[in-house]
Amino acid sequence: MPPRLNPTLRQRRIGTELRKMREGAGLSTGALSRDLGIDRTQVSQIEAAKVGVSPERLRSFAAACKCMNEPLIGALESMVQDRSKGWWEDHRGTVPDGFLENAELEKTSRELMLWVLTHMPGPCQTINYASAVFGRVFPPLPRHEVEARTAFRMQRKTDLRRNPKPLTAFIYESVLWTRFGGTQILKEQLGSLLEDSELPWMSIRVVPFDIETFPGAVENLTYAFGAIPELDTVERESSRDSEHLDATSELASYRAIFEQTEALALHESDSRDLIRKIARNL
């Protein structure tokens, strides 16, 4: 079977966890390949997600590494057995691969926490606001790319509402004042945000200007809770791209950042009051 050209986020995570398992056991790829009776190149390809792994091979891999974490092994086995194709794959080649990975991360997580500093949370954006956000990229994107990214964003939003999961969005107050697309589009967006804040599965919390500072993060973040804590993922957005983090130390650091942010943010009702006040003042 030829190596995969574009392994998905899920496939890469399986390989990463198997590599962590091997390294935690203090085994080299050569030592593990001898224990498994396969070529060392195959071990490297499995860990790099270039080739797939069967549930049986996964359990042999775990046994050879003396991994006793059954919840982790079981969760990885479920990931291996999931052969479904996500709706986002139909958009491959029309939007950046990072967009596809973020959609996959949203879909496969059991809960989401967001921290946004620059623009409204993606799952809350209106179509006009999203188009204005993509339209502000410099150098400017061709119109068809702006339209493709906006349509993809709206499909992500629709999919999340069709299959809702707990979502908490921490929004720095400056986001509520930034007029992507102009005042009318922002007012429409704030009205939509207020409606979202009433959804039973969504919590909107504003971090106001009058706190002394906010902890750690100076970029937009998504903390996606996996089936077990070891499979949590942080998506960190930059001006150029986004990256996915899953090292144990990184996850602990970002969990602490979100805990501190939660302590500083306004409660839901106070957040709604502030959003209404800003909308009236526009």
Side-chain angles (χ1 to χ4, degrees), residues 13 16-17 20 223 229-232 234 245-255:
R13 186 59 182 272
T16 295
E17 292 303 317
K20 290 179 184 177
Y223 194 103
E230 292 94 325
L231 294 178
D232 291 354
V234 170
L245 311 174
D246 52 43
T248 302
S249 59
E250 290 173 324
L251 294 176
S253 175
Y254 282 105
R255 276 196 295 268

Side-chain angles (χ1 to χ4, degrees), residues 74-92:
L76 291 174
E77 187 173 24
S78 295
M79 292 168 68
V80 165
Q81 292 172 330
D82 182 5
R83 307 283 179 165
S84 60
K85 178 184 175 183
W87 62 263
W88 49 88
E89 289 295 337
D90 293 336
H91 296 261
R92 190 172 293 280

Side-chain angles (χ1 to χ4, degrees), residues 18 22 28-47 51-54 56-62 64-65:
L18 291 176
R22 174 181 59 78
S28 65
T29 54
L32 181 58
S33 67
R34 288 192 294 273
D35 288 345
L36 295 176
I38 61 177
D39 188 87
R40 63 184 299 169
T41 302
Q42 190 174 355
V43 172
S44 297
Q45 289 181 325
I46 289 172
E47 292 180 356
V51 297
V53 59
S54 66
E56 295 76 18
R57 177 70 76 193
L58 170 69
R59 289 200 168 266
S60 296
F61 205 108
C65 295

Side-chain angles (χ1 to χ4, degrees), residues 208-222:
F209 283 140
D210 59 7
I211 63 168
E212 291 185 3
T213 186
F214 48 78
V218 292
E219 59 274 298
N220 297 333
L221 301 172
T222 297

